[in-house]
Structures are given as C-alpha cells and as structure tokens.
Amino acid sequence: MSTSATETPMSFPVHASAVPVSAERRAEILSDPGFGRYFTDHMAIATWTRDAGWHDAAVVPYGPLQLDPAAAVLHYAQEVFEGMKAYRHADGSVWSFRPEANAARLARSARRLALPEVPEQMFLEAVSQLVRTDEAWVPSGGESSLYLRPFMVATEAFLGVRSAHEVKFLVIASPAGSYFSGGVKPVSIWLSQDYTRAAFGGTGSAKCGGNYAASLVAQEEAHANGCDQVCFLDAGERKYVEELGGMNLYFVHDDGSIVTPELTGTILEGITRASILELAKDAGHEVSERRVSIEEWRGGVESGRITEVFACGTAAVVTPVGRLVSRDGELVHGTGGPGEVTTGIRQRLLDVQYGRAEDPHGWMHRLV
Ligand SMILES: *Cc1c(COP(=O)(O)O)cnc(C)c1O
C-alpha cells in the first residue's frame, strides 16, 4: 500500500496539559505504579490519510479519543503496536533500548496489516518528545521504568472491507514498577494443546492486537489450571514449541549452550530475544536458533540435558520458567527456582539497560 514518504523531518510540537497530575499525586503513583494502570499527562498523536500522508503530529494532553462507531479498527481490528521502555540511569539521564528496532518492527507489522508505515525519524521523535515532556513520570530505583506503547489504529468510518484511508498513530506512556517486587520468581507454564497462536501465512510475526485477542482463551485455560502463562505449539503439526502469548522462549543445556525456537514466520521476533542471542554469545555461550519439539523439551528435562528454561520480553525482561504443565502431567525444571545461566543473562541485560555496564553494541539511545 502506498505511504507518502515524509521527506522533511516530522516534529511533535507540545500542547501542554492545563491540568497535569499534581506532583504529590504523581509521587504517590510512582511509589507503587504496578503495570499499565496509570498514564502520564500527555500523549503523542499523528494522523495519516491516503491523500495527505502523515500530518497534524503533536504531543497533546492525555485523554480519550473521539472515534466514530464505524471506525474500522472497532470492526476489523486493523491495528498494530509496540512495547518499549524508558530507563532512568543513576545520573538522572533517561534512555531507551534499541528504539530503532521497535520502529523497524512497527513498520513490518504495519505492512502485514495493510497500514501505512511510520518513518523511523517520526517514530523516534514521537517517543523522545513524549518522554521529554513527561520526564517527571520516569521512575527511578529498582527495575522501574516508563513503559511506552506506540500504536496505530484504523480510524476511518467505513464498514466496507478494505484497508482504511484514515489512520492514527499514538504513543502513550505508563510508569512501571519492578516486575518482580519480591525477587525473581519462576513462572509456571500451561501447554496449550487445543489452541494455536499463529499459522503459516497468518499474522504471527506481526505485533497486532488480533494475536492477543486470539490468545486470551488459552491464557484463561492456563489460569484455570493454576499456571501463569501459556505456551503455544506450531499450528501445522502441534509438535514444535513456538512461544508464550507475549514472550519468547529459551532453553539452557547442561553444557552451557542455549537454544531458542527459530523464526519460522509464526513467531514474533522479540527484541529481547535478539539481544540475548548477542549477549549470550559475548558471554561465551554457544547459541543456536532451531526448531525445538515438545518431546525434546520433555525428554531434555527428564534426562538432565535441559537445565533451565526462560521466557523473555520487554515487560518482564527475563523470566525463569519453573514448571511446564499439560493434560499429560507436570514437568519441573531443576529445583524449580531461577537457574544460574538465566540469572546471569537477566543481570547482564539489565546492567546495560540501566547504564551499570558498558554498552558494546550501542543499543542505548539517550532521550533526556
Ligand atoms: C512483544 C512480543 C514479544 C517480545 O518482544 P520484545 O521485543 O522482546 O518485547 C514476544 N512475543 C510476542 C507475541 C509479542 O507480542
């Protein structure tokens, strides 16, 4: 689909909120923000139309959108999103992690959902301008951060089935506390044998709301079976491990080598996943990307070949998997506690993100 290329850099002028949250209330929120519950005073927004391309970009007061009830996104789910964080370093500066990778992935997701691309410069400017405006909302201490949610929705009021001619791009921001407040705790995983997440030719490798909508019933099944998360198998043979509803998976072997399911087109290409491939290599682990069957997982844990399993994604960073549960029984990894390799990789990544270690790959991008 055509995207009018923005030759001139897009700026996001700030229209400041007349009624920002008081410093007192903000401090109260930042002392225990949880995840995704509170939002900052502003949001970035821009409109795209087929005729005019991207325009009307600005940072405006946070608030409800006026959508026509016939807006295409409400009916046909033409939507894509991103998830990233702004991290406060000890010296007070604020940084993002590989934001150009989020920009590139949003563009890939947009192509798959027949949405226009947001140019990288415009994406980075929207994120930077919002974080500069709401800098006071970036928490400090522990593993807290300002979670950023760029997204794009089809707003055209039209019930005919085709890609929308009017679209909005927004970035909202939400302070997030440490994911694990009482120390890293392994999660339990339910193996979904009735539902799959993505099929060949589908939208599995695009970050779109529809994938999440389709995963919720399996997630509920996981909860009903006493598990935290759900793991999906490939839709073709129901044999190969794909990923969780919103996190990628890694397996650690007794010889220190680590493996993650290869990208087959149905797995979301996590930026955390890609970064761990690099960091683990730097740390001397042999790393590989290949298909991993559920039998290999089960057999490997039973034989002691697989010593640790962990999940990874921006929100929870690196999360040890303690148990795999299915209709066929339960499998406990190691002692059920966080393993040494998982803990090491988690620490290494956090140290780069929070500016406590060198950044040999140039992943950090200063925002404030
Ligand atoms: C966002 C997402 C991930 C993790 O990606 P990161 O870039 O590491 O945050 C993994 N799986 C799915 C389905 C996702 O939507």
Side-chain angles (χ1 to χ4, degrees):
M1 98 168 275
S2 74
T3 305
S4 74
T6 324
E7 302 294 335
T8 46
M10 179 80 76
S11 63
F12 283 75
V14 179
H15 306 289
S17 170
V19 285
V21 170
S22 71
E24 204 176 33
R25 175 67 186 135
R26 191 177 60 232
E28 199 183 322
I29 291 170
L30 293 185
S31 70
D32 182 23
F35 180 82
R37 276 189 292 144
Y38 302 102
F39 298 91
T40 65
D41 293 313
H42 298 88
M43 61 188 189
I45 189 164
T47 300
W48 177 91
T49 55
R50 205 169 60 143
D51 298 334
W54 288 110
H55 58 276
D56 285 351
V59 165
V60 300
Y62 184 90
L65 296 177
Q66 268 224 323
L67 279 187
D68 192 289
V73 65
L74 301 177
H75 303 273
Y76 307 129
Q78 199 188 2
E79 185 267 0
V80 294
F81 69 96
E82 272 304 319
M84 53 200 286
K85 285 174 170 175
Y87 307 86
R88 192 179 292 282
H89 289 185
D91 66 358
S93 58
V94 178
W95 301 70
S96 59
F97 179 75
R98 309 188 73 179
E100 53 320 300
N102 294 98
R105 186 170 64 189
L106 185 72
R108 290 198 301 276
S109 300
R111 281 198 292 274
R112 179 62 183 85
L113 274 285
L115 283 161
E117 285 178 35
V118 173
E120 182 189 85
Q121 178 275 331
M122 176 179 158
F123 179 93
L124 297 178
E125 186 55 25
V127 166
S128 313
Q129 188 70 299
L130 178 62
V131 174
R132 280 195 293 269
T133 307
D134 284 336
E135 196 232 314
W137 285 90
V138 184
S140 50
E143 286 164 20
S144 61
S145 62
L146 184 65
Y147 184 79
L148 301 166
R149 170 53 60 85
F151 63 104
M152 203 193 304
V153 289
T155 50
E156 186 188 5
F158 178 58
L159 293 183
V161 179
R162 59 150 168 74
S163 59
H165 293 173
E166 188 199 294
V167 166
K168 286 200 192 298
F169 167 67
L170 292 97
V171 187
I172 57 174
S174 173
S178 299
Y179 195 85
F180 298 103
S181 35
V184 176
K185 203 175 127 281
V187 295
S188 51
I189 286 186
W190 171 254
L191 182 69
S192 181
Q193 288 163 304
D194 294 332
Y195 306 106
T196 57
R197 197 190 81 90
F200 284 115
T203 56
S205 63
K207 207 168 176 70
C208 64
N211 290 341
Y212 279 72
S215 75
L216 296 179
V217 64
Q219 180 66 44
E220 296 213 331
E221 192 180 77
H223 286 153
N225 284 280
C227 291
D228 304 304
Q229 293 279 337
V230 60
C231 175
F232 292 100
L233 298 174
D234 77 285
E237 298 177 68
R238 309 274 176 113
K239 180 174 173 188
Y240 296 101
V241 177
E242 299 237 296
E243 61 171 313
L244 309 188
M247 282 191 275
N248 297 114
L249 276 173
Y250 267 96
F251 299 88
V252 181
H253 294 134
D254 52 358
D255 62 0
S257 63
I258 68 173
V259 56
T260 189
E262 71 178 309
L263 303 172
T264 53
T266 56
I267 294 179
L268 197 284
E269 188 174 354
I271 294 162
T272 318
R273 174 191 179 279
S275 307
I276 289 170
L277 281 173
E278 299 293 319
L279 290 180
K281 231 179 281 172
D282 296 347
H285 294 278
E286 189 193 306
V287 299
S288 54
E289 298 172 81
R290 60 171 171 80
R291 301 238 269 176
V292 176
S293 71
I294 188 67
E295 295 94 80
E296 179 181 347
W297 185 343
R298 288 198 174 112
V301 172
E302 274 156 15
S303 72
R305 169 78 176 136
I306 294 175
T307 50
E308 301 173 34
V309 181
F310 64 85
C312 63
T314 297
V317 196
V318 168
T319 306
V321 174
R323 296 187 301 142
L324 175 71
V325 184
S326 72
R327 279 200 292 266
D328 310 323
E330 183 177 328
L331 204 60
V332 177
H333 301 130
T335 59
E340 208 177 295
V341 174
T342 302
T343 306
I345 288 173
R346 182 170 198 283
Q347 202 53 50
R348 189 75 195 87
L349 183 55
L350 286 168
D351 284 347
V352 172
Q353 291 174 333
Y354 285 91
R356 299 183 296 245
E358 272 210 55
D359 173 23
H361 300 282
W363 286 337
M364 301 309 290
H365 174 101
R366 186 163 181 175
L367 296 174
V368 182

